[in-house]
C-alpha cells in the first residue's frame, strides 16, 4: 500500500477529532459523542498508523503510553523556579497579608484590590512544557529548582493534551498545575488494594505523587489521575493576557483543564467569603483541597510586589482545618459486625481532625493492621476526610516506644468467645457464633430497624444494646412482642417514649417485600439486590422456593449472592423468624412474578457467560438473553446449552469443552438471536 495525501489527511483529521473529543470529555466534562463512537475513531486511527507507521507522531492521541519503562528519572532544571506559598490560618492573618500588599503597593488601606481566588489543590505540582503547542516535557517540582523528568508519565494522563488546541499560543509555554487523584477514585483504588491484600495509599496526595514517580508508564496509565493548571512559567515567542485570571481562562481555551471553582473577588472580605463558601462545599468537591489561594490578579502589580525568599508576596494560601493529625494509639480492640466480621479498631488519644474530635479509627482488617504494623503506644497519623470513617493512615515508626508488640488476631470472639476463622481468599476474619453472638445479634437488629429496612423510629442503638444485654431481644421477631410496661422500665425511657416506640413498631408492620428482604440482613444482599429479587419473584414464597440456579437468573445476582440467599433460607432458625414475623402481623403487598417471555427465540435454553465480550458487558448480555426468553446461570453443567465466551475466558471454557457444550462468541450469540 502506498501512503497517499488523502490517507495522510484522513489521519490528521482523525487526530483533530479525537483531540477535540478528549477536550470535551476531560476538560469540559461535556462529551459530544458516545464512548463507542470515540473508540471507533481511535481504532480507525490506530489501524491507519499500523498500516503506515510513518504516520505516527509523538503527539498522536494513540501514543500516550510508551512501551518501555525508563531505567531512571532524568533531572530537569526549572528555568524559572517553582515557588511555594506562604500560609494564613485565620481571618486576622489574612487581613495582615492584605495590609502588607496594600502598603507595598502604596495603595490606600480601603482599596478594593482584585484577587484571583482558587482552591488549593492537594496533589503533586507538575510543570508541562509545550513547544509550538506540542507537549515536550513534564517535570515534578522537586526542590523548586530541580525536578525529575516525568514526561513518559504525564503523557498517560488523559486530561493533559499532547497538543494544544486552537492557535495563538507562545512558541514556548510552560504550564504549571497540580496532578491529583479524585477522591472517589482514591477510595475505590484503596478498597480494591485492600481486598487484594496489597498496599494502600495514605491519602490522595501520596497517591498522585507516587503514581507520577513510576518508571513504567503502564503503571501510571492504570492510575486514575487528573490535572488542573494554576499558573504559567516560561512564556517565550508570544504573549499572554495581563491578568492571572485571564491567563487561566486562556489555558482553558487551549484545551488545558482548569479548576471551575475560580472567582475574581474584590477586597479582603470577599476573599474570606470565598474561603467560607468553598469550605462549606469542601466535602462535596470530587477532589481533595487543603485550602484556598488568593493571588493579586494584575500581573503588573505582581511584578511590583515581587518575591521574598521562595514565595511570592502577591499570593497566599488560606488553609482549612487539617484532614490529618498526629495522635497516640491507646488500645487496639476487635469489633464484631453484623455478619461476624472481626475488625480491628484503634482507640486513640482524642484529637481534633477534619472538624470533629476523633477517638476511634478503623484499621480495616487484620492484614492491613499487619501491613501498617500499628501497635499500642504508637504515634500515628489519623486521617478523616469528608464523611469517610476516620482511619489510621500511617505509623511514625521512629517514635515507637520500647517494648511494644505486634498485634495478633484473637483466636476467639471478644464478645461471645466462639472461634474466629478466616475463609480462604477472604480479607475478613469472622466470629463463628452467628446469632448466638450478642455483637452479631445487636448489629443484625440495628440493621433490621434501620431507616431503609423496617424503619422503626425510636429503637436506637443504645436501646437495642440494653435489650440484647437483658436477653429481651434475641431475634427481630422479638421486637414485635415488646410491651409498653417492660419498655418503661428501661434507662432513659419515659411513659411517652415507650408509647411512641410501641406505635412505631406497630406502624413498621406494614412494609414492602424489598424492605423486608433487605432487613433480613443476608450477606451480600443490599438494597438494590433486594429490590431486584423482590420484583423478579413477586412474592416471598417464590423467593423461598427458588433454587440457586434460578436465583442467578435475577438481574445482578451472580453465583456468590445466589449461594448466600439459598444458604440463608435453608436455615431452619431463619425460617422460624420469618414465620413468627408474619404471625405477629408483618405484611407487605405481593405481586405476580416478573413475566418471562416463554416464546422468545431463546426460550428453554440455558446460557453461561464468561470472559470479556467485545461490546457487551456481562450484565448487558444477560439482559439481552433474558429478554428473549433464555436463562442465564453462573456455572457450567450438563444443563447448560451454550457458553458465551469472551476474551480471557478461564475454567468455564475448559469445562464446557469437556462437556461438549456449544461455545459461542458475542457474534455467535448475535447470529443465534437473528436466526
Ligand atoms: S500557585 C507562585 N495555585 O501549592 C505560586 N499553587 O505551596 C505558586 N497548589 O507546590 C503556586 N493549588 O503545588 C498555586 N491554585 C493553586 C494551587 C497551588 C495547589 C500547590 C502547588 C505548590 C504549593 C505551594
Amino acid at each position: 500500500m502506498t501512503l497517499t495525501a488523502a490517507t495522510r489527511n484522513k489521519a490528521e483529521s482523525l487526530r483533530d477529532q479525537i483531540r477535540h473529543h478528549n477536550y470535551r470529555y476531560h476538560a469540559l466534562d461535556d462529551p459530544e459523542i458516545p464512548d463507542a463512537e470515540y473508540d471507533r475513531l481511535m481504532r480507525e486511527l490506530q489501524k491507519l498508523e499500523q498500516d503506515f507507521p510513518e504516520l505516527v507522531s509523538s503527539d498522536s492521541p494513540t501514543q500516550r503510553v510508551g512501551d518501555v519503562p525508563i531505567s531512571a528519572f532524568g533531572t530537569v532544571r526549572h528555568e524559572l523556579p517553582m515557588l511555594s506559598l506562604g500560609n494564613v490560618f485565620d481571618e486576622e492573618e489574612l487581613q495582615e497579608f492584605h495590609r502588607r500588599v496594600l502598603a507595598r503597593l502604596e495603595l490606600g488601606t480601603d482599596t478594593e484590590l482584585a484577587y484571583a481566588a482558587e482552591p488549593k489543590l492537594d496533589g503533586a505540582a507538575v510543570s508541562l512544557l509545550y513547544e509550538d503547542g506540542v507537549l515536550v516535557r513534564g517535570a515534578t517540582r522537586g526542590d523548586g529548582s530541580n525536578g525529575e523528568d516525568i514526561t513518559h508519565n504525564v503523557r498517560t494522563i488523559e486530561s493533559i493534551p499532547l497538543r494544544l488546541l486552537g492557535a495563538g499560543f507562545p512558541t514556548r509555554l510552560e504550564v504549571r498545575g497540580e496532578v491529583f487523584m479524585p477522591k472517589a477514585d482514591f477510595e475505590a483504588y484503596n478498597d480494591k488494594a485492600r481486598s487484594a491484600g496489597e498496599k494502600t495509599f495514605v491519602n490522595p496526595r501520596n497517591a498522585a505523587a507516587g503514581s507520577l514517580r513510576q518508571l513504567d508508564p503502564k503503571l501510571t496509565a492504570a492510575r486514575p489521575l487528573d490535572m488542573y493548571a494554576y499558573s504559567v512559567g516560561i512564556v517565550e515567542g508570544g504573549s499572554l493576557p495581563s491578568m492571572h485570571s485571564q491567563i487561566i481562562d486562556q489555558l482553558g481555551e487551549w484545551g488545558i483543564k482548569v479548576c471551575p471553582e475560580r472567582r475574581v473577588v474584590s477586597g479582603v472580605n470577599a476573599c474570606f467569603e470565598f474561603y467560607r463558601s468553598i469550605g462549606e462545599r469542601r466535602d462535596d468537591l470530587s477532589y481533595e483541597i487543603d485550602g484556598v489561594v488568593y493571588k493579586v490578579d494584575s500581573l503588573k502589580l505582581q511584578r511590583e510586589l515581587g518575591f521574598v525568599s521562595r514565595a511570592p508576596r502577591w499570593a497566599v494560601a488560606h488553609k482549612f482545618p487539617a484532614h490529618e493529625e498526629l495522635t497516640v494509639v491507646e488500645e487496639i480492640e476487635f469489633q464484631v459486625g453484623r455478619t461476624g466480621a472481626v475488625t480491628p479498631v484503634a482507640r486513640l488519644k482524642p484529637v481534633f481532625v477534619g472538624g470533629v474530635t476523633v477517638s476511634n479509627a478503623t484499621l480495616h482488617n487484620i492484614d492491613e493492621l499487619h501491613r501498617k504494623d500499628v501497635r499500642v503506644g504508637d504515634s500515628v497519623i489519623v486521617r478523616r476526610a469528608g464523611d469517610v470513617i476516620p482511619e489510621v493512615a500511617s505509623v511514625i515508626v521512629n517514635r515507637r516506644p520500647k517494648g511494644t508488640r505486634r498485634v495478633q488476631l484473637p483466636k476467639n470472639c471478644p464478645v461471645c468467645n466462639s472461634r474466629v476463622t478466616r475463609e480462604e481468599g477472604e480479607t475478613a476474619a469472622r466470629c463463628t457464633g452467628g446469632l448466638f453472638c450478642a455483637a452479631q445479634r445487636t448489629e443484625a437488629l440495628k440493621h433490621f430497624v434501620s431507616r431503609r429496612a423496617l424503619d422503626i423510629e425510636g429503637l436506637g442503638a443504645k436501646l437495642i444494646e440494653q435489650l440484647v444485654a437483658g436477653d429481651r431481644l434475641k431475634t427481630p421477631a422479638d421486637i414485635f412482642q415488646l410491651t409498653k410496661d417492660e419498655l418503661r422500665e428501661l434507662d432513659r425511657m419515659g411513659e411517652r417514649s415507650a408509647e411512641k416506640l410501641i406505635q412505631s413498631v406497630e406502624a413498621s408492620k406494614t412494609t414492602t417485600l424489598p424492605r423486608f428482604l433487605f432487613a433480613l440482613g443476608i450477606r451480600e444482599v443490599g438494597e438494590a439486590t433486594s429490590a431486584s429479587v423482590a420484583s423478579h419473584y413477586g412474592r416471598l414464597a417464590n423467593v423461598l422456593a427458588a433454587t440457586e440456579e434460578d436465583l442467578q437468573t435475577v438481574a445482578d445476582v451472580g453465583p456468590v449472592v445466589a449461594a448466600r440467599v439459598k444458604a440463608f433460607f435453608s436455615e431452619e432458625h431463619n425460617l422460624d423468624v420469618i414465620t413468627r414475623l408474619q404471625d405477629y402481623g408483618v405484611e407487605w403487598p405481593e405481586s405476580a412474578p416478573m413475566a418471562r417471555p416463554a416464546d422468545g427465540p431463546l426460550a428453554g435454553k440455558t446460557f453461561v457467560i464468561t470472559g470479556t465480550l467485545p461490546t457487551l458487558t456481562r450484565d448487558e448480555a444477560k439482559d439481552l438473553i433474558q429478554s428473549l426468553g433464555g436463562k442465564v446461570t453462573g456455572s457450567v453443567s450438563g444443563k447448560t446449552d451454550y457458553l458465551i465466551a469472551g476474551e480471557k475466558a478461564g475454567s468455564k471454557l475448559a469445562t464446557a469443552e469437556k462437556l461438549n457444550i456449544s461455545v459461542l462468541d458475542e457474534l455467535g450469540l448475535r447470529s443465534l438471536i437473528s436466526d
Side-chain angles (χ1 to χ4, degrees):
M1 274 188 290
T2 44
L3 176 55
T4 60
T7 311
R8 207 177 271 287
N9 288 342
K10 177 79 197 166
E12 212 30 65
S13 144
L14 282 167
R15 280 179 198 152
D16 283 345
Q17 289 180 61
I18 293 170
R19 283 182 194 122
H20 169 75
H21 293 305
N22 271 343
Y23 172 66
R24 297 287 310 201
Y25 185 94
H26 292 288
L28 303 186
D29 201 8
D30 183 19
E32 280 172 354
I33 55 169
D35 291 359
E37 177 63 14
Y38 176 87
D39 293 342
R40 203 186 56 73
L41 293 173
M42 199 66 165
R43 275 201 301 272
E44 199 177 341
L45 178 61
Q46 274 162 347
K47 175 84 176 41
L48 278 185
E49 291 182 348
Q50 215 168 30
D51 293 345
F52 303 101
E54 59 268 48
L55 277 179
V56 181
S57 64
S58 79
D59 65 335
S60 170
T62 58
Q63 302 299 305
R64 283 203 173 265
V65 187
D67 273 337
V68 265
I70 61 167
S71 54
F73 295 103
T75 304
V76 169
R77 184 159 180 82
H78 296 299
E79 289 170 44
L80 299 170
M82 289 183 79
L83 303 165
S84 59
L85 288 168
N87 291 321
V88 297
F89 290 91
D90 56 33
E91 197 173 354
E92 182 52 43
E93 290 177 358
L94 174 60
Q95 294 280 6
E96 185 56 37
F97 163 80
H98 181 57
R99 270 197 294 273
R100 276 197 312 265
V101 168
L102 292 183
R104 259 201 177 257
L105 294 172
E106 295 178 3
L107 292 170
T109 51
D110 54 357
T111 312
E112 296 277 279
L113 193 61
Y115 288 102
E118 352 177 301
K120 184 166 189 300
L121 309 154
D122 202 6
V126 291
S127 141
L128 306 172
L129 185 60
Y130 286 88
E131 287 181 354
D132 295 319
V134 176
L135 176 66
V136 293
R137 193 193 68 196
T140 63
R141 174 173 182 273
D143 62 4
S145 305
N146 293 294
E148 283 175 323
D149 189 328
I150 49 161
T151 311
H152 64 302
N153 287 337
V154 295
R155 290 175 60 89
T156 70
I157 301 173
E158 293 188 19
S159 52
I160 296 182
L162 298 179
R163 175 197 277 259
L164 299 179
L165 297 180
F169 28 81
T171 47
R172 285 186 90 216
L173 173 65
E174 181 194 1
V175 175
R176 293 176 174 180
E178 199 85 349
V179 165
F180 57 92
M181 188 179 283
K183 288 192 268 196
D185 293 301
F186 164 77
E187 295 297 337
Y189 184 94
N190 269 0
D191 282 350
K192 212 166 139 209
R194 213 172 274 129
S195 43
E198 285 161 11
K199 201 168 169 306
T200 52
F201 287 119
V202 170
N203 53 39
R205 175 176 8 103
N206 289 17
S211 302
L212 284 180
R213 294 196 72 265
Q214 295 291 330
L215 292 169
D216 185 351
K218 291 205 179 62
L219 294 176
T220 309
R223 307 272 170 85
L225 298 177
D226 207 341
M227 189 202 80
Y228 283 142
Y230 53 62
S231 72
V232 291
I234 304 164
V235 181
E236 286 170 13
S239 61
L240 292 175
S242 60
M243 296 285 175
H244 169 81
S245 54
Q246 295 167 342
I247 293 178
I248 303 300
D249 290 343
Q250 175 65 73
L251 293 180
E253 280 162 33
W254 286 330
I256 306 260
K257 203 163 166 178
V258 295
C259 181
E261 306 292 338
R262 293 171 296 125
R263 264 216 323 259
V264 178
V265 298
S266 192
V268 72
N269 291 334
C271 284
F272 197 65
E273 188 44 49
F274 179 80
Y275 172 84
R276 261 201 305 253
S277 100
I278 292 286
E280 273 172 21
R281 285 183 301 126
R282 182 186 187 187
D283 289 347
D284 300 328
L285 295 176
S286 61
Y287 44 90
E288 187 92 36
I289 62 175
D290 59 348
V292 297
V293 185
Y294 314 116
K295 302 171 182 172
V296 171
D297 201 24
S298 152
L299 296 203
K300 180 170 165 287
L301 296 183
Q302 286 189 5
R303 275 189 295 272
E304 278 180 43
L305 286 159
F307 301 87
V308 53
S309 66
R310 306 197 60 80
R313 285 207 192 85
W314 43 263
V316 77
H318 190 174
K319 300 295 276 286
F320 288 135
H323 272 160
E324 291 179 4
E325 283 296 349
L326 199 64
T327 187
V328 174
V329 176
E330 295 185 325
E331 200 58 68
I332 293 177
E333 290 176 0
F334 287 85
Q335 264 177 1
V336 185
R338 174 164 66 84
T339 59
V342 175
T343 309
V345 191
R347 308 285 177 213
L348 306 169
K349 184 159 177 280
V351 62
F352 193 73
V353 51
V356 298
T357 300
V358 168
S359 43
N360 302 303
T362 180
L363 292 158
H364 295 288
N365 59 55
I366 190 75
D367 288 341
E368 176 115 344
L369 166 65
H370 283 158
R371 222 174 6 252
K372 291 183 177 157
D373 191 16
V374 186
R375 305 182 185 195
V376 175
D378 269 344
S379 291
V380 292
I381 293 174
V382 199
R383 178 177 155 76
R384 180 189 180 275
D387 3 324
V388 180
I389 32 174
E391 62 173 0
V392 172
S394 60
V395 176
I396 317 279
V397 179
N398 57 18
R399 293 210 195 164
R400 175 169 284 166
K402 283 211 173 66
T404 61
R405 282 210 312 242
R406 256 173 92 83
V407 177
Q408 298 301 337
L409 178 71
K411 291 196 168 47
N412 298 85
C413 172
V415 178
C416 74
N417 211 34
S418 303
R419 254 171 13 90
V420 169
T421 58
R422 258 182 97 173
E423 272 174 46
E424 182 78 20
E426 275 222 18
T427 40
R430 286 181 202 278
C431 158
T432 51
L435 290 182
F436 167 75
C437 176
Q440 291 190 50
R441 214 181 315 148
T442 305
E443 294 308 314
L445 285 160
K446 283 186 202 165
H447 173 77
F448 187 84
V449 306
S450 63
R451 206 165 51 79
R452 294 172 172 286
L454 272 252
D455 189 19
I456 306 185
E457 215 180 306
L459 192 47
K462 287 270 172 305
L463 207 51
I464 290 182
E465 279 157 25
Q466 260 190 77
L467 289 163
V468 169
D471 247 1
R472 275 299 302 124
L473 281 187
K474 290 205 179 67
T475 77
D478 300 332
I479 295 171
F480 296 91
Q481 288 204 300
L482 292 172
T483 63
K484 200 169 87 185
D485 288 342
E486 67 182 323
L487 286 175
R488 226 181 1 221
E489 303 302 310
L490 298 171
D491 299 347
R492 291 179 302 176
M493 252 293 165
E495 175 80 26
R496 255 189 67 70
S497 20
E499 189 151 326
K500 272 179 87 173
L501 180 52
I502 293 289
Q503 273 167 16
S504 53
V505 168
E506 202 51 39
S508 77
K509 286 182 180 172
T510 308
T511 185
T512 65
L513 184 53
R515 275 177 180 272
F516 184 77
L517 288 175
F518 175 60
L520 293 175
I522 306 168
R523 255 173 83 186
E524 320 272 353
V525 179
E527 254 186 305
T529 309
S530 306
S532 191
V533 170
S535 78
H536 187 99
Y537 289 107
R539 39 183 137 265
L540 183 65
N542 296 343
V543 183
L544 297 183
T547 61
E548 218 174 298
E549 202 179 33
D550 195 61
L551 281 162
Q552 288 180 43
T553 66
V554 179
D556 292 337
V557 173
V560 175
V561 177
R564 296 271 187 235
V565 174
K566 194 68 215 162
F568 185 90
F569 292 122
S570 308
E571 292 269 357
E572 204 58 47
H573 66 94
N574 288 337
L575 296 177
D576 276 351
V577 170
I578 293 174
T579 313
R580 279 179 59 208
L581 285 167
Q582 289 183 302
D583 287 349
Y584 299 145
V586 177
E587 58 176 11
W588 53 85
E590 300 215 311
S591 59
M594 208 156 73
R596 298 189 210 186
D599 51 356
L602 304 182
K605 299 285 182 226
T606 301
F607 292 74
V608 174
I609 309 168
T610 186
T612 314
L613 303 177
T615 76
L616 295 171
T617 66
R618 281 213 286 272
D619 275 335
E620 284 165 356
K622 185 170 174 176
D623 286 349
L624 177 68
I625 293 168
Q626 287 176 344
S627 69
L628 298 168
K631 197 161 137 177
V632 180
T633 66
S635 51
V636 178
S637 73
K639 293 185 202 148
T640 311
D641 295 295
Y642 295 99
L643 178 74
I644 309 298
E647 237 179 273
K648 299 213 184 89
S651 63
K652 287 180 190 169
L653 181 58
T655 317
E657 280 166 352
K658 217 182 305 160
L659 295 175
N660 243 338
I661 289 163
S662 311
V663 178
L664 301 177
D665 60 5
E666 186 182 316
L667 224 67
L669 169 65
R670 290 188 189 278
S671 58
L672 191 68
I673 295 167
S674 58
D675 274 354

